[in-house]
Amino acid sequence: MSQIDRQTVEKIAGLASLKLSEEEVLYYQDQLSRILDYMDQLKAFPDGLPATWRAELEQAETPERPDRAEPSHVIEKVLQSAPRVVGTAFQVPRIIE
Amino acid sequence: MNSKTSHNSTSDLGFEGLLNRYEPVIGLEVHCQLKTESKLFCACKTNFGALANQNTCPVCLGLPGVLPVLNHQAVDYAIAMALAVGAVIREKSVFARKQYFYPDLPKGYQITQYDLPYCEAGRLRLDTGKEIVIQRIHMEEDAGKSIHGDNASYVDLNRAGIPLLEIVSAPELSGPQEAYDYLKKLRAIARYLDISDGNLEEGSFRCDANVSLRPLGSQAFGVRTEIKNLNSFKNVERAITYEIFRQADILESGGLVKQVTLLFDAASGRTQVMRSKEDSPDYRYVPDPDLGLLYLSQERVAQVKSRIPELPEGKSLRFQTEFGLTEADARQLTEEKELAAYFEALVAAVQGKVTAKIVANWILSEYLREHNTRHWTWGQQDLSVEAFAELLGLLGDGTISGKIAKSVFEEMVESGARAPAIIHSKGLVQITDKDEIKAMVQRVLEAYPEQIEQYRSGKHKVFGFLVGQVLKASQGRYNPGLVNDCLKEALHEPAKKD
Amino acid sequence: MREPFQLPAREIARLTMDGSLKPEDTANFYARRTEDLHQVCNTHTLWDKDAVLNEAEKQIDYIQAARYAHKSLPLAGVPIAIKDNIMVEGQMATCGSRFLRNHRSAYDATVIQKLKAAGAFLFGRTNMDEFAMGSSNENSSYGPVLNPWNRRHVAGGSSGGSAAVVAADMVPLALGSDTGGSIRQPASFCGVLGLKPTYGAVSRYGLIAYGSSLDQIGHFARRVEDLALLFDVLAGPDHLDSTSHRGAPTPTLPTLAQGSLLGTKIALVRDFLGEGLDGEVRAHFEAAMARYRELGAELVEVNLPHIKASIPVYYIIATAEASTNLARFDGIRYGVRVQKPGQNLREVYTQSRSEGFGREVKQRIMLGTYVLSAGYYDAYYAQAARMRELIKRELNAVFASGVHLIATPTAPTTAFELGQKTHDSLAMYLGDIYTIAANLAGIPALSHPIGFDGKGLPIGLQLMAPAFQEATLLRSAYHYEQQNQPQFDKRPRI
């Protein structure tokens, strides 16, 4: 039984940059717990694959493109509709290092 | 060791003292920007200094619905670097998403490589002969830049998506000097391969240092701190030195070093904790489903290998055997491949009129001085090989003395005129008329009777002074060798008054 | 002059090219119809009749030029509705989300470029479950899409709007996207055809990503020939999509009517025909399979022991990929930013996202974040990836044994009532049981109508084929359709 505790919900929300209300924390705690319990049935399935098998190594080779620069003028449209722009840069609250 | 640190050590341990008690353990992480025409996963330009966000497109802006496509040239450059450091190339490697939120990271994740990087286990040999293991190199995309104002920050994504190689050394460097040397050599390789500008100040070659101390003799690693974004070779040395002292102080007073991330403040010479860093963030790496395998076949690697030029280490050894240069000179000459090429071209051009050793001396002293003070670049040819070879030829055949040659050199550089013209216009041809020299020697000896006594009573140092006086009187035009001979003859003449 | 109403798309294109049908008449007709009907079932996130007709004007010029040049445009004058997660330059793309409610696309998806080049009219933005996460179209910030057959029932999701517009004849064709069944299930619920192509057959460039290794753009139609027609236009390699298949696609339209079902081996999945399947759906499914047999198909039963793991495997992989795909929605470059004076960066992120994302989206982001987080990656994500491979191998083994198609009901039930499953995510997820496998294995699958239940709600049958065998898939469905036209032709009363 993979009971998700409150602290975990809050931690995950933090990682995902989400702010949850009190009801949401409780709601998600319940839903996620039930879903994860259901997911745990995966453990019941025998895996017949060799231990070293990795999905990502089974893919096809990624295609490559020639090293040529091509201009895109999309930025003009993007800057026009971006939330906050100063000059040609996106403005955000002061980043603190 | 550099003792000009602004560090204020409370324990009064000098650097020597420190090294008697602690062993510094340093690892370097270098981010090397590749000088491709376009970005790693899109066709945007990569030129430095463009107007903010001018070099962007849907892909590197992280607009909804976009997908990455890998740059062929970037892969070739990556292979070249791996070969140059003798790393083991993995035939199949994987791109992964490294996730965190930051304004200069438009997708909310960086495409990088995680547990299956494209190569591992390379080596770099330092001047001392010590070999540093390069644990791994992987490919990744650069993030954008933020410029900070008073109340806001401004995000420029021109740099987002530029290809990087992350080169991670084993923690085997034992001090700031070794770190400096390692860095210089790595940079030289990148520039020789022509895969990167290797410019720390401009940010095309960035260095983070991991520093820890452990008691001398101990095998266990101490707590390490990370100093980020060191932007000059000098600052790398200074920062590491400061940090070693700082940690030693803590340990000496019985404290524990905290695992923090630091920035180096060049003005004060101190490292400072970065405020917003959490301890080991959870990057939730996952293989990128939008990309397939990075497949590096043996054929491809062989192709890249065939295009790799002679590298600094090999060239330096060759200069020692082929030209009889010292190790120190050969190293200096091969630091930049353009300098090495210039040297070799000049040796060929002088056609044996002076030895390669002399050519080397001239380049390392006279030429480099002008090159650096006048901020020459290799692109604009400042002093042609022909003109330089011409001058050295005139030195070699005795037309001018070494001292005169130096002043002619300065005049050439200043005015752009060629050596023969300068020599003739200033009447600088070397004088080899023995009679004339003898006469001058006499006149000088008559002016300095005391020195003669001193010489004869055994103070041979005064000989140099007398030679200098003769040369001075001739404005450097007398052949120094002949002056030497004549003066010796004159001083050892048996005609002495009792 | 023929009215374009209820003409197959293929016919519209043909008549437009030969001049018998004026594209402006087609555009006006369908625009009026959509204008009259779109609010009834809430099928659109954006319907602007004037804007649509304005854009159509440009296409009309293009079509005329093509006609003069004797260049055939396969979709000349065909109105096609676009699911609101596909980028059309200059048009809004909200993904059904508040976060993107003011977001205008800055570029065209590759499929959109193809539609334009083929002479089609882009007809509005259809309603969908937010960020394609849902199986009922009740997760849209624009309100649920109502089933045209019974407006107290869901249309299915996530491409509910696209399914409904085709069911209601507001357009002959509509684009959708399918990650775990999001085309097939609404097709089944709305009584129309829906196709999910082989993974990589159609470019994903310009599709707002949900589960990158599962997503495909697909489409809805009333006739199999139209399903084939549009597939042939959309399929093909794209240098902008590294996962797109590099080989040239096999055209499906030319061979559509060839041959027969004689000798076609169709497998039924024993594991799917037990508990959980609604009785009426089962009955219709069995009847439909009997008709396949009458047409010459050979039916076999197969066991797929790992198929039951489909749902956990899917929800782990899809949500993991979604959690990273949605990280770009931070309010900095586009979308709605919520920023009050004096707030710091972190607050801007969390507020914008929390206010912009709906409940289901947040849930899946958190689930995905959890399964990728330190300490859980191996147990969940890595394990799911391995299970996925087993499911894929099992399906491929079935095909390798000589089976041409696998048939299942598309969904275990017909369209359920609005609100019936909204408070039980797991119950909602379980409805995807039959469709998910095709996404996990990357194989093509379609849903076609096979009748109606006692309440008059449509029932669908799913066919799956080996990778890149859309031609076989569509041909088989075509032969069935030819002999069972009434099931395909019935229309909802709106």
Side-chain angles (χ1 to χ4, degrees):
Chain A
M1 180 80 152
S2 64
Q3 183 73 18
I4 303 272
D5 62 15
R6 207 209 151 78
Q7 201 185 21
T8 305
V9 173
E10 285 168 348
K11 187 181 87 171
I12 301 170
L15 284 174
S17 281
L18 293 172
K19 190 172 76 168
L20 304 180
S21 68
E22 182 60 29
E23 306 106 276
E24 279 176 316
V25 173
L26 294 170
Y27 174 80
Y28 289 128
Q29 189 182 346
D30 172 60
Q31 291 291 317
L32 292 176
S33 293
R34 289 212 258 147
I35 292 167
L36 285 162
D37 280 350
Y38 181 80
M39 304 303 189
D40 280 343
Q41 68 173 277
L42 268 191
K43 297 179 190 154
F45 282 88
D47 179 324
L49 296 168
T52 50
W53 187 91
R54 296 184 61 161
E56 54 268 33
L57 288 174
E58 299 297 311
Q59 305 168 86
E61 188 182 333
T62 203
E64 293 176 19
R65 35 166 264 276
D67 184 25
R68 259 196 316 263
E70 274 154 31
S72 154
H73 300 290
V74 115
I75 188 61
E76 290 142 21
K77 294 177 220 151
V78 173
L79 288 173
Q80 256 168 39
S81 51
R84 291 190 194 204
V85 165
V86 172
T88 60
F90 302 103
Q91 188 198 63
V92 295
R94 181 68 162 81
I95 299 168
I96 303 172
E97 289 266 274
Chain B
M1 196 47 248
N2 180 11
S3 55
K4 290 192 234 134
T5 173
S6 54
H7 170 86
N8 217 345
S9 174
T10 56
S11 63
D12 289 325
L13 265 183
F15 207 78
E16 301 290 306
L18 195 155
L19 293 178
N20 282 333
R21 297 171 66 84
Y22 300 105
E23 180 193 353
V25 173
I26 298 155
L28 293 182
E29 243 172 61
V30 168
H31 287 90
C32 174
Q33 245 181 25
L34 299 179
K35 50 191 276 195
T36 49
E37 290 291 319
S38 61
K39 294 185 179 180
L40 187 55
F41 294 114
C42 68
C44 282
K45 277 170 82 166
T46 53
N47 57 300
F48 188 72
L51 183 65
N53 289 311
Q54 187 175 69
N55 294 343
T56 58
C57 74
V59 178
C60 56
L61 284 168
L63 298 189
V66 298
L67 298 168
V69 184
L70 185 59
N71 180 328
H72 181 93
Q73 182 71 278
V75 176
D76 278 352
Y77 284 172
I79 294 172
M81 180 54 103
L83 289 169
V85 299
V88 177
I89 293 177
R90 194 178 248 123
E91 194 175 57
K92 294 183 184 179
S93 63
V94 172
F95 285 106
R97 296 183 178 181
K98 175 181 182 180
Q99 305 176 62
Y100 60 96
F101 284 93
Y102 207 71
D104 66 12
L105 196 67
K107 297 186 292 295
Y109 60 84
Q110 175 197 31
I111 301 179
T112 176
Q113 296 191 293
Y114 177 53
D115 59 344
L116 290 170
Y118 82 95
C119 77
E120 292 175 321
R123 293 167 278 101
L124 192 67
R125 198 202 320 268
L126 306 179
D127 281 342
T128 55
K130 177 174 173 185
E131 274 197 350
I132 305 292
V133 166
I134 293 178
Q135 281 177 340
R136 55 180 278 156
I137 309 179
H138 68 251
M139 296 184 72
E140 63 182 26
E141 55 176 356
D142 209 344
K145 267 204 196 139
S146 314
I147 306 129
H148 305 300
D150 287 329
N151 297 311
S153 297
Y154 303 91
V155 181
D156 169 16
L157 296 174
N158 281 345
R159 203 183 65 176
I162 288 189
L164 294 177
L165 291 182
E166 180 174 319
I167 305 166
V168 182
S169 82
E172 293 175 347
L173 297 159
S174 50
Q177 203 101 63
E178 285 196 351
Y180 181 94
D181 193 16
Y182 171 90
L183 215 56
K184 280 230 122 161
K185 290 201 159 27
L186 195 60
R187 177 184 177 271
I189 291 175
R191 288 178 55 85
Y192 264 67
L193 292 172
D194 207 19
I195 63 176
S196 172
D197 288 331
N199 191 324
L200 270 92
E201 287 80 1
E202 272 181 12
S204 59
F205 203 76
R206 311 199 283 261
C207 178
D208 300 337
N210 291 310
V211 181
S212 69
L213 293 183
R214 63 184 171 197
L216 207 53
S218 162
Q219 287 307 303
F221 286 108
V223 175
R224 70 159 203 252
T225 60
E226 187 186 6
I227 314 171
K228 290 197 84 68
N229 291 338
L230 296 158
N231 61 5
S232 74
F233 285 103
K234 197 137 179 278
N235 284 341
V236 168
E237 257 195 316
R238 293 171 68 203
I240 292 176
T241 305
Y242 177 85
E243 184 59 14
I244 289 173
F245 272 113
R246 187 187 77 85
Q247 290 193 13
D249 267 2
I250 294 173
L251 296 175
E252 281 291 284
S253 56
L256 290 169
V257 175
K258 274 193 259 192
Q259 184 174 3
V260 286
T261 307
L262 303 157
L263 285 176
F264 180 67
D265 175 34
S268 67
R270 300 170 186 283
T271 58
Q272 287 159 356
V273 180
M274 281 176 82
R275 259 200 274 165
S276 66
K277 284 293 174 178
E278 326 149 22
D279 325 41
S280 40
D282 185 358
Y283 292 118
R284 288 161 279 130
Y285 290 95
V286 63
D288 195 325
D290 289 333
L291 293 165
L293 279 180
L294 178 59
Y295 177 66
L296 303 179
S297 66
Q298 287 184 359
E299 292 77 35
R300 178 137 187 213
V301 172
Q303 252 181 25
V304 174
K305 187 167 189 174
S306 68
R307 296 194 298 259
I308 290 187
E310 188 182 34
L311 293 175
E313 201 181 356
K315 201 187 282 288
S316 174
L317 284 168
R318 184 169 65 80
F319 279 12
Q320 290 168 58
T321 53
E322 194 173 317
F323 300 119
L325 303 185
T326 62
E327 198 181 328
D329 283 353
R331 275 212 204 102
Q332 232 197 318
L333 282 172
T334 54
E335 239 176 49
E336 300 273 347
K337 71 167 186 256
E338 293 88 348
L339 182 63
Y342 190 76
F343 164 75
E344 277 199 271
L346 191 51
V347 166
V350 297
Q351 293 173 331
K353 291 189 196 142
V354 290
T355 61
K357 184 109 185 54
I358 290 179
V359 175
N361 290 343
W362 269 83
I363 288 190
L364 292 174
S365 52
E366 311 303 314
Y367 179 83
L368 273 186
R369 181 193 65 229
E370 297 301 325
H371 182 96
N372 293 332
T373 53
R374 289 169 191 266
H375 304 292
W376 286 342
T377 62
W378 294 108
Q380 72 175 102
Q381 220 12 293
D382 31 299
L383 179 64
S384 73
V385 169
E386 294 79 36
F388 203 167
E390 194 177 38
L391 171 67
L392 292 179
L394 293 170
L395 169 65
D397 67 21
T399 309
I400 49 173
S401 67
K403 190 157 182 220
I404 295 286
K406 285 185 185 167
S407 62
V408 171
F409 178 85
E410 279 167 33
E411 178 63 36
M412 281 169 69
V413 160
E414 187 63 45
S415 69
R418 300 281 286 234
I422 296 170
I423 288 169
H424 271 108
S425 74
K426 297 202 171 172
L428 296 173
V429 177
Q430 190 169 230
I431 297 171
T432 50
D433 181 341
K434 246 191 148 172
D435 292 328
E436 191 185 324
I437 293 174
K438 271 190 189 162
M440 180 61 80
V441 164
Q442 278 308 315
R443 285 204 288 283
V444 165
L445 287 180
E446 277 159 25
Y448 295 98
E450 277 175 31
Q451 279 72 6
I452 300 174
E453 282 307 314
Q454 284 173 0
Y455 180 77
R456 287 197 176 133
S457 65
K459 283 197 178 148
H460 289 210
K461 271 194 185 166
V462 80
F463 186 82
F465 169 79
L466 292 169
V467 167
Q469 291 305 306
V470 175
L471 287 175
K472 193 163 131 191
S474 76
Q475 282 137 4
R477 291 183 61 202
Y478 286 161
N479 180 307
L482 289 175
V483 168
N484 242 300
D485 295 343
C486 293
L487 187 57
K488 267 219 186 88
E489 274 177 31
L491 286 169
H492 290 197
E493 260 171 12
K496 250 204 275 195
K497 291 204 174 110
D498 309 308
Chain C
M1 180 52 62
R2 274 185 81 170
E3 260 209 340
F5 183 55
Q6 294 183 353
L7 282 181
R10 193 175 174 201
E11 196 62 359
I12 293 175
R14 189 180 71 79
L15 296 173
T16 305
M17 286 313 296
D18 78 18
S20 333
L21 186 57
K22 289 221 203 91
E24 47 269 45
D25 288 346
T26 311
N28 283 325
F29 177 86
Y30 278 103
R32 256 195 328 267
R33 187 167 168 82
T34 303
E35 181 82 0
D36 292 341
L37 295 176
H38 76 278
Q39 285 169 325
V40 175
C41 294
N42 195 27
T43 50
H44 286 71
T45 53
L46 177 68
W47 170 254
D48 179 346
K49 177 161 159 257
D50 295 330
V52 167
L53 289 175
N54 243 332
E55 286 302 304
E57 296 257 319
K58 298 186 202 148
Q59 277 298 73
I60 288 166
D61 291 339
Y62 172 65
I63 292 167
Q64 304 300 28
R67 290 188 61 230
Y68 288 140
H70 300 290
K71 179 180 166 205
S72 176
L73 299 179
L75 294 170
V78 177
I80 305 186
I82 310 295
K83 185 176 180 182
D84 203 12
N85 60 357
I86 297 172
M87 306 285 272
V88 177
E89 188 188 336
Q91 291 189 16
M92 305 300 279
T94 71
C95 241
S97 178
R98 273 209 302 273
F99 192 99
L100 291 178
R101 65 178 175 267
N102 64 356
H103 168 247
R104 202 173 285 275
S105 303
Y107 70 97
D108 272 341
T110 298
V111 295
I112 296 300
Q113 285 183 343
K114 292 188 169 201
L115 289 184
K116 287 182 180 175
F121 294 136
L122 303 181
F123 244 61
R125 315 281 306 165
T126 60
N127 199 350
M128 54 182 283
D129 276 308
E130 191 184 355
F131 285 108
M133 300 182 190
S135 309
S136 66
N137 221 128
E138 294 173 286
N139 292 330
S140 168
S141 70
Y142 290 84
V145 174
L146 311 180
N147 194 311
W149 296 88
N150 183 329
R151 278 172 264 144
R152 283 197 317 274
H153 290 246
V154 301
S158 60
S159 313
S162 283
V165 294
V166 170
D169 290 302
M170 285 186 240
V171 280
L173 288 171
L175 289 193
S177 70
D178 190 314
T179 307
S182 291
I183 285 178
R184 292 158 286 156
Q185 186 246 42
S188 168
F189 281 11
C190 290
V192 295
L193 285 151
L195 171 70
K196 179 201 87 68
T198 308
Y199 183 81
V202 175
S203 168
R204 290 188 297 121
Y205 185 79
L207 169 68
I208 300 181
Y210 159 26
S212 312
S213 71
L214 302 156
D215 291 340
Q216 268 294 277
I217 292 177
H219 48 282
F220 298 89
R222 291 212 81 102
R223 319 270 300 222
V224 178
E225 63 178 332
D226 286 349
L227 219 58
L229 170 68
L230 186 47
F231 175 77
D232 286 350
V233 170
L234 297 179
D238 184 12
H239 67 280
L240 293 172
D241 176 356
S242 295
T243 61
S244 86
H245 181 66
R246 271 161 269 182
T250 310
T252 60
L253 199 52
T255 57
L256 197 65
Q258 278 177 14
S260 66
L261 281 163
L262 210 54
T264 301
K265 209 164 177 185
I266 307 181
L268 306 176
V269 182
R270 196 177 296 132
D271 315 73
F272 280 166
L273 299 175
E275 224 185 281
L277 177 56
D278 175 84
E280 283 190 273
V281 174
R282 182 207 306 277
H284 279 83
F285 175 74
E286 285 169 355
M289 291 320 302
R291 285 196 283 277
Y292 268 106
R293 196 191 291 114
E294 280 162 30
L295 291 169
E298 184 193 331
L299 304 183
V300 296
E301 261 201 3
V302 293
N303 249 339
L304 296 174
H306 284 91
I307 206 90
K308 289 215 177 70
S310 292
I311 291 191
V313 168
Y314 169 79
Y315 276 97
I316 288 171
I317 294 176
T319 58
E321 293 177 357
S323 72
T324 88
N325 285 329
L326 269 64
R328 71 190 60 200
F329 298 110
D330 54 17
I332 293 187
R333 291 144 291 127
Y334 48 83
V336 169
R337 183 196 294 197
V338 179
Q339 178 172 342
K340 301 176 190 136
Q343 286 190 318
N344 67 33
L345 185 61
R346 181 114 195 102
E347 285 164 325
V348 171
Y349 279 143
T350 56
Q351 255 163 211
S352 304
R353 288 164 65 82
S354 305
E355 287 185 34
F357 292 152
R359 193 182 66 184
E360 182 65 25
V361 169
K362 283 192 257 198
Q363 180 167 300
R364 294 197 195 193
I365 289 175
M366 290 204 287
L367 187 54
T369 304
Y370 182 76
V371 303
L372 291 179
S373 65
Y376 295 104
Y377 179 91
D378 285 326
Y380 289 110
Y381 189 82
Q383 188 57 26
R386 297 169 74 91
M387 250 339 110
R388 177 180 188 174
E389 176 70 12
L390 292 177
I391 293 168
K392 183 174 178 176
R393 288 186 189 186
E394 252 166 37
L395 284 166
N396 287 336
V398 169
F399 292 125
S401 74
V403 164
H404 299 102
L405 301 166
I406 299 176
T408 76
T410 304
T413 66
T414 56
F416 40 88
E417 279 181 32
L418 289 155
Q420 190 178 324
K421 291 192 187 178
T422 45
H423 292 285
D424 188 351
S425 303
L426 205 47
M428 187 76 84
Y429 297 168
L430 291 174
D432 296 332
I433 182 65
Y434 302 140
T435 48
I436 276 177
N439 302 84
L440 293 178
I443 58 179
L446 60 72
S447 176
H448 71 68
I450 54 172
F452 300 82
D453 73 1
K455 292 194 287 237
L457 291 165
I459 302 172
L461 181 147
Q462 176 185 232
L463 291 176
M464 296 186 258
F468 302 107
Q469 296 213 18
E470 283 83 354
T472 309
L473 193 63
L474 290 163
R475 192 181 322 122
S476 308
Y478 180 78
H479 289 305
Y480 181 95
E481 180 195 42
Q482 290 302 296
Q483 302 302 321
N484 295 279
Q485 205 63 53
Q487 287 164 8
F488 292 72
D489 280 346
K490 201 167 163 203
R491 254 86 178 165
R493 236 170 295 134
I494 295 202

